[in-house]
Amino acid sequence: MSILSKIFGDPNEKFVKGLQPVIEKINSFELEFEKFSAEQLKEKTKEFKERLLKNDTLEDILPEAFALVREAGKRTLNQRHFDVQMIGGIVLHQGKIAEMKTGEGKTLSATLPAYLNALSGLGVHVVTVNDYLAKRDMVWMGQVYDALGLSTGCIVNESGYVYDANYKNDEKDKERDIMGNFKVVQDYLKPVPRKEAYAADITYGTNNEFGFDYLRDNMVYGQNQEVQRGFNFVIVDEVDSILIDEARVPLIISGEAEEATEKYYQFSKIIASLISKEDYVVDEKMKAVNFTDEGQNKIVEKLGFDPWLDNDIITTHQLESALKAKALFLKDRDYVVKNGEILIIDESTGRILPGRRWSAGLHQAVEAKEGAVVKPESITMATITFQNYFRMYKKLAGMTGTALTSAEEFDKVYKLEVVPIPTNKPMIRRDFADKIFKTEQGKLKAIVKEIKEIHEKGQPLLIGTGGVEIGEHNVGAIEKNMRMKEILNREGMVCSVLNGRDTENEKEGQIIAQAGKKGAVTIATNMAGRGVDIILGGNPPDLEEAKIVKELGGLHVVSIERNGARRVDNQLRGRSGRQGDPGSTQFFVSLEDDLMRIFGGDRIKSLMTALKIPEDEPVQAGMVSGSIESAQEKIEGFNFDARHHLLEYDDVLNKHREIIYKKRKEFLESPDLKEKVLEIFAKAGLSPEEYDKKEKELGAENIKQVEKFVCLRVLDTLWQEHLSYIDHIRDSVRLRAYSGRDPLVEYKNEGHKAFGQLLATIDADIADNILKAGMQVHQKPALQSHAVESGKKEIGRNDPCTCGSGKKYKKCGMLNTEEHQKLMREKK
Ligand code: ADP
Ligand code: MG
């Protein structure tokens, strides 16, 4: 109590203080619950469930339930939830963001609201940033839920698990108690189908896996293939990184488009012959191009048809991409060609971005222009943004060490309130003022000097190599890590490097867990080793070692630059000074850093030239520190806008998706679609008699299956077409900003129109397909290998079919179509 009131003197204090009676109530159960047998703990869970079925609400039960979870924590983990963790738990239960500093024990806090809300039986999801942490938390916390009689599941890439309560092994259990915060004891994970993992009371998993399962569930053809069971309550760990940083790119399930590649070469050739100013005009600043009438005429002549007149939006879009590739994208300025591949050059940093592709056909257009192999365009089969995924839950809560600087975004986008929770012990870490240098070179020298001095004392060092993230990923980070390692190796220091690659999470977790050892030097990107806390003296904990490191001053964090967001800086600082440990942090900045160079403004540029001080002497911090913060705010604002923009556009599609997915669920889950189909028939102007006729022809059982298949199939096909059409619209409205029209308004209007058409087409196509349905069984293509006469070379999928139909083999012979069979008979 006293600690709480000492720390906070703001409205938050009042809120936290207001919870004090609840905390006291929770504490009052402790003596009683301590005496419970293992059986009685589980009994209590049953009692809670029954009370919920009667008149009690979750709020009524909360104090007792939290006390019970604490008791289970004490018995299984040897950890007694601190009072501040109880406060965090209450805040989470209320559907808010609990801002709890790194190392305060958010993993354990989450067990409280997870348990309470799971009592409803509707499922609770806990989201972690990667698969490794999902497994770790499930194996670690699974024992708490198990002691209380609840089941725990976990969903990771390509597999699902439940907590294996039958696996009893004292040795392994001890190992888990001591090192559970970084070590996953696999034996407690029992592999199960995903559906079972979702059926557990509490399911851990990543945002990606939860999101993809949602999309996949809306692509299945049998109800038994669905894996999820609704969206009740979700707790998002590291909520800022998931709901903000990762929310910049939507989740997409994609497939490869067929046979579009030829067109890119054809269009590229046509466009190559066009002449600037005569056939087209370019606006470099807007990155826009426009055909003149003359240009269009030339194209129509060469194509043999008029895509503009035909309103063939896909072809006109591709022609435009080809023109952009010619007029706006220059080799060795915008991209390089390496081993036949087009590699993008980052506009602001000048670095090459391997693996990245421009979207919406542009990359293919550039490939065609350079005569490189055109990789197939990928088509979107399903997509959703994290914002819209998480908004589906009845209740959403989050936790992180750093949320306050993004409170506005959480409020605006997710209606999430941020509540800072006081630390368990007072924080004594020292954050030194930034050291600022004129040049990068000077800065680097000073960094190395400082690292050496501190290392010689034996104090452990964590070196952060973040940087400015604009767009998706910070591609330069790994390079920076390697450079730092080289420099330090040259100085005779041994160091561990963490690159934050997804495949390495578990290994990096093990490394970062030891970063607090005496003399350790660890270099990490700001993503690396997340979620694993750094215990002074190393892990397994050793009191002697810890004492030595504490006397040396604890963990010292060095950052080689300021990051793009203040939040990310704070995350890095938070690595040190956990749970009242000593520690310190030092950020280095140079006026040549990306942050300062690109976003620092004119003041920095004039300083650069005006400053006459030597490069390895720090600049007066007061002169620049304001510029640093304002540069960060600029980037934060820029990225917020980008996400907001994405969301505004996605909201249009989201409405469509909601309607279509609801329709799909009806198709998928209703045992009989006859009534629905009759309605559809009526809309299409078909009579019930026509339906009866078809029903007789196919048989009552058969028509049921046909209906289900046709309805789902038509819906999916047209929905996918709609997705790609919407994509094109989105691209084409951008140009209209040009003529003073608001692209978003235009997008909404056109989107609305397209959706109306989609709904009508779905009905029409369903009716049409059911009418045309026949039940003859197609012969299996298994015959195909025998069909190839000896001596002849095998027919490729895309070769013309040997029957002479003029169709590709895969569309004719492989399917052994009726037409194919007929032609083959005639041939003989
Ligand atoms: P966070 O996610 O808040 O950074 P973690 O959940 O990783 O923190 O926990 C940090 C460390 O604190 C872990 O080693 C954990 O075992 C320990 N811890 C958490 N809660 C308690 C507690 N109530 N008592 C003792 N140790 C705890
Ligand atoms: Mg954590």
Side-chain angles (χ1 to χ4, degrees):
M1 169 72 221
S2 55
I3 298 171
L4 307 190
S5 44
K6 252 187 247 157
I7 299 174
F8 283 93
D10 52 49
N12 194 52
E13 181 194 14
K14 241 171 116 190
F15 176 82
V16 170
K17 253 191 177 161
L19 294 178
Q20 201 50 37
V22 188
I23 302 298
E24 272 155 30
K25 185 107 191 270
I26 296 170
N27 291 344
S28 73
F29 291 104
E30 188 155 6
L31 284 178
E32 181 193 342
F33 290 177
E34 257 173 3
K35 297 194 195 86
F36 276 6
S37 67
E39 241 351 273
Q40 276 173 307
L41 286 183
K42 292 185 174 139
E43 281 301 316
K44 200 78 190 164
T45 296
K46 280 194 200 132
E47 180 198 312
F48 290 152
K49 284 185 178 176
E50 278 156 23
R51 276 164 58 185
L52 279 179
L53 288 178
K54 289 180 190 146
N55 280 326
D56 278 2
T57 63
L58 291 178
E59 283 66 35
D60 297 332
I61 296 181
L62 186 145
E64 263 178 277
F66 277 27
L68 197 73
V69 177
R70 175 187 267 169
E71 186 55 37
K74 272 156 63 180
R75 292 187 193 189
T76 57
L77 297 167
N78 259 329
Q79 294 184 353
R80 179 183 178 275
H81 293 72
F82 306 126
D83 283 1
V84 287
Q85 287 176 310
M86 292 288 172
I87 297 175
I90 297 170
V91 168
L92 291 172
H93 170 70
Q94 292 174 340
K96 298 174 183 165
I97 291 179
E99 188 187 70
M100 298 171 72
K101 297 263 171 297
T102 312
E104 285 294 298
K106 289 183 279 292
T107 323
L108 188 64
S109 289
T111 55
L112 302 157
Y115 169 77
L116 177 64
N117 285 270
L119 291 170
S120 70
L122 296 173
V124 171
H125 293 170
V126 184
V127 176
T128 61
V129 288
N130 59 49
D131 281 356
Y132 155 64
L133 289 172
K135 282 202 229 169
R136 179 200 72 170
D137 291 358
M138 185 265 224
V139 172
W140 198 17
M141 299 298 129
Q143 50 189 330
V144 176
Y145 304 119
D146 178 54
L148 298 169
L150 294 188
S151 57
T152 318
C154 133
I155 290 286
V156 296
N157 190 251
E158 311 221 307
S159 37
Y161 301 95
V162 287
Y163 177 72
D164 189 353
N166 294 321
Y167 185 78
K168 301 254 184 320
N169 178 318
D170 276 351
E171 280 297 295
K172 296 246 161 111
D173 191 32
K174 226 177 267 156
E175 180 183 327
R176 173 172 62 170
D177 284 349
I178 297 169
M179 295 183 287
N181 69 345
F182 72 92
K183 196 157 185 170
V184 181
V185 184
Q186 287 284 345
D187 306 82
Y188 291 98
L189 291 163
K190 183 172 138 205
V192 293
R194 287 173 104 74
K195 200 183 178 89
E196 263 178 63
Y198 276 112
D201 291 303
I202 295 135
T203 307
Y204 286 83
T206 63
N207 45 327
N208 283 354
E209 293 303 312
F210 283 130
F212 277 133
D213 278 337
Y214 169 68
L215 294 178
R216 280 191 290 253
D217 269 4
N218 281 291
M219 295 168 81
V220 300
Y221 276 72
Q223 209 182 328
N224 56 349
Q225 291 161 10
E226 285 175 302
V227 295
Q228 291 185 332
R229 56 171 184 132
F231 307 94
N232 179 44
F233 176 44
V234 63
I235 302 172
V236 182
D237 192 9
E238 310 264 0
V239 64
D240 53 332
S241 100
I242 289 176
L243 293 190
I244 293 186
D245 298 334
E246 295 200 16
R248 272 183 298 223
V249 265
L251 280 179
I252 295 174
I253 293 184
S254 60
E256 277 186 1
E258 282 184 53
E259 56 209 316
T261 53
E262 273 310 310
K263 274 205 227 152
Y264 285 106
Y265 294 116
Q266 187 199 357
F267 293 168
S268 177
K269 228 159 110 195
I270 296 176
I271 297 296
S273 65
L274 300 188
I275 300 158
S276 176
K277 297 212 179 76
E278 211 170 280
D279 299 325
Y280 60 89
V281 284
V282 180
D283 184 331
E284 285 274 354
K285 214 166 166 195
M286 292 282 292
K287 286 246 170 239
V289 290
N290 253 327
F291 292 108
T292 60
D293 285 347
E294 207 155 320
Q296 288 193 349
N297 289 339
K298 275 192 196 166
I299 291 170
V300 171
E301 197 178 305
K302 289 192 170 142
L303 274 179
F305 65 95
D306 187 339
W308 286 279
L309 200 66
D310 296 347
N311 222 347
D312 180 350
I313 189 167
I314 294 180
T315 301
T316 55
H317 174 79
Q318 284 173 344
L319 285 164
E320 214 166 73
S321 298
L323 180 57
K324 274 190 193 161
K326 172 183 158 95
L328 288 173
F329 289 81
L330 296 189
K331 189 166 151 181
D332 297 329
R333 182 193 72 184
D334 301 293
Y335 62 89
V336 291
V337 186
K338 207 170 150 193
N339 301 332
E341 275 195 76
I342 309 296
L343 303 175
I344 301 177
I345 298 176
D346 184 62
E347 236 175 299
S348 51
T349 62
R351 289 197 196 99
I352 289 174
L353 309 177
R356 286 265 285 276
R357 294 175 68 81
W358 286 302
S359 60
L362 187 59
H363 212 93
Q364 286 84 357
V366 175
E367 281 167 340
K369 168 182 142 191
E370 292 297 337
V373 176
V374 173
K375 301 221 181 84
E377 204 174 341
S378 75
I379 48 166
T380 304
M381 298 166 81
T383 173
I384 192 168
T385 56
F386 285 123
Q387 288 94 330
N388 279 319
Y389 174 75
F390 283 110
R391 290 200 291 207
M392 290 194 304
Y393 285 85
K394 262 191 282 176
K395 188 161 73 182
L396 165 65
M399 47 190 193
T400 174
T402 47
L404 217 49
T405 53
S406 303
E408 188 194 344
E409 183 163 351
F410 283 123
D411 176 49
K412 267 202 184 138
V413 178
Y414 301 96
K415 299 202 178 60
L416 276 171
E417 192 187 321
V418 178
V419 182
I421 312 292
T423 51
N424 185 43
K425 291 187 188 157
M427 158 84 85
I428 57 165
R429 188 187 67 220
R430 293 167 63 191
D431 298 324
F432 297 115
D434 292 359
K435 286 189 179 155
I436 300 159
F437 297 83
K438 190 175 159 191
T439 65
E440 170 117 35
Q441 208 47 42
K443 178 182 80 169
L444 216 57
K445 262 197 216 156
I447 292 175
V448 174
K449 189 160 161 266
E450 172 160 326
I451 290 177
K452 253 178 99 172
E453 279 170 14
I454 289 187
H455 179 64
E456 270 158 23
K457 283 199 307 175
Q459 193 178 359
L461 274 152
L462 178 70
I463 300 153
T465 54
V468 184
E469 268 183 74
I470 314 156
E472 287 161 37
H473 283 291
N474 185 348
V475 273
I478 293 178
E479 248 169 68
K480 281 186 211 159
N481 269 357
M482 285 315 172
R483 217 171 43 204
M484 196 35 112
K485 182 184 156 97
E486 251 171 55
I487 296 173
L488 296 184
N489 284 161
R490 233 181 288 139
E491 298 287 332
M493 280 180 250
V494 183
C495 41
S496 316
V497 179
L498 278 67
N499 288 331
R501 283 204 192 94
D502 256 353
T503 47
E504 306 273 298
N505 287 326
E506 180 150 11
K507 212 174 96 203
E508 296 192 342
Q510 312 229 352
I511 298 174
I512 197 98
Q514 310 304 345
K517 273 200 165 140
K518 184 174 177 238
V521 182
T522 313
I523 305 174
T525 60
N526 54 39
M527 292 293 165
R530 280 191 294 189
V532 177
D533 96 310
I534 302 174
I535 297 175
L536 296 184
N539 198 352
D542 180 321
L543 287 180
E544 261 318 293
E545 284 293 310
K547 196 168 153 246
I548 296 172
V549 173
K550 277 181 191 169
E551 274 160 12
L552 288 169
L555 181 70
H556 183 63
V557 169
V558 169
S559 182
I560 69 166
E561 59 192 293
R562 283 280 208 125
N563 293 286
R566 292 165 292 173
R567 198 164 37 75
V568 181
D569 288 347
N570 293 339
Q571 257 167 34
L572 181 60
R573 290 192 204 281
R575 289 305 207 149
S576 165
R578 64 180 271 286
Q579 291 183 12
D581 282 348
S584 48
T585 67
Q586 177 68 65
F587 277 60
F588 287 82
V589 175
S590 96
L591 303 187
E592 290 176 342
D593 291 353
D594 287 347
L595 178 74
M596 305 310 280
R597 210 165 39 80
I598 305 168
F599 294 90
D602 295 336
R603 211 181 118 67
I604 294 297
K605 296 207 175 80
S606 55
L607 262 179
M608 295 264 289
T609 40
L611 280 175
K612 294 273 185 292
I613 43 172
E615 61 168 26
D616 51 357
E617 238 166 70
V619 178
Q620 277 266 299
M623 293 163 81
V624 244
S625 56
S627 305
I628 296 176
E629 300 266 313
S630 82
Q632 284 181 313
E633 275 169 40
K634 248 187 251 170
I635 299 175
E636 286 168 20
F638 177 85
N639 284 331
F640 181 13
D641 287 347
R643 288 187 295 268
H644 195 66
H645 194 66
L646 172 71
L647 196 59
E648 275 182 321
Y649 276 81
D650 190 58
D651 279 346
V652 175
L653 195 58
N654 197 46
K655 288 208 189 80
H656 301 174
R657 179 177 35 237
E658 274 172 15
I659 295 169
I660 292 291
Y661 280 7
K662 192 163 156 254
K663 232 177 169 33
R664 196 179 196 283
K665 228 174 169 49
E666 264 174 40
F667 287 157
L668 185 70
E669 292 178 1
S670 53
D672 192 346
L673 289 168
K674 181 165 175 176
E675 235 166 86
K676 268 243 106 46
V677 171
L678 278 172
E679 265 171 45
I680 293 173
F681 263 52
K683 271 191 236 164
L686 296 165
S687 65
E689 286 73 38
E690 275 168 285
Y691 182 88
D692 291 342
K693 206 174 123 214
K694 197 77 204 173
E695 190 175 20
K696 271 208 201 88
E697 185 193 320
L698 295 178
E701 238 350 273
N702 283 339
I703 197 164
K704 256 194 201 172
Q705 285 183 23
V706 168
E707 276 165 359
K708 176 147 289 184
F709 181 77
V710 166
C711 285
L712 290 171
R713 186 76 209 192
V714 166
L715 192 80
D716 289 351
T717 313
L718 293 177
W719 172 240
Q720 279 167 28
E721 270 173 27
H722 181 73
L723 287 178
S724 86
Y725 185 66
I726 284 276
D727 236 21
H728 286 300
I729 295 181
R730 202 175 155 151
D731 238 44
S732 72
V733 292
R734 221 172 281 154
L735 288 178
R736 298 189 203 166
Y738 222 34
S739 44
R741 284 181 286 178
D742 179 351
L744 185 61
V745 173
E746 298 275 312
Y747 176 73
K748 280 182 181 163
N749 288 341
E750 301 228 348
H752 184 72
K753 234 177 12 199
F755 189 63
Q757 272 164 9
L758 171 70
L759 291 179
T761 318
I762 287 174
D763 283 347
D765 277 17
I766 288 177
D768 191 41
N769 275 286
I770 290 178
L771 268 191
K772 278 193 202 137
M775 279 310 280
Q776 78 270 43
V777 182
H778 284 288
Q779 266 174 330
K780 282 246 177 76
L783 286 173
Q784 89 195 48
S785 52
H786 306 290
V788 183
E789 283 168 44
S790 58
K792 278 192 190 161
K793 96 180 202 322
E794 287 228 6
I795 317 171
R797 289 167 54 81
N798 288 315
D799 291 339
C801 189
T802 46
C803 71
S805 64
K807 289 186 185 156
K808 290 188 175 177
Y809 178 59
K810 66 179 173 197
K811 293 251 156 107
C812 186
M814 246 166 105
L815 297 176
N816 203 11
T817 59
E818 266 177 67
E819 184 192 7
H820 177 78
Q821 293 175 19
K822 193 166 148 250
L823 285 169
M824 289 301 274
R825 276 197 301 273
E826 281 168 10
K827 253 181 136 177
K828 283 183 185 164

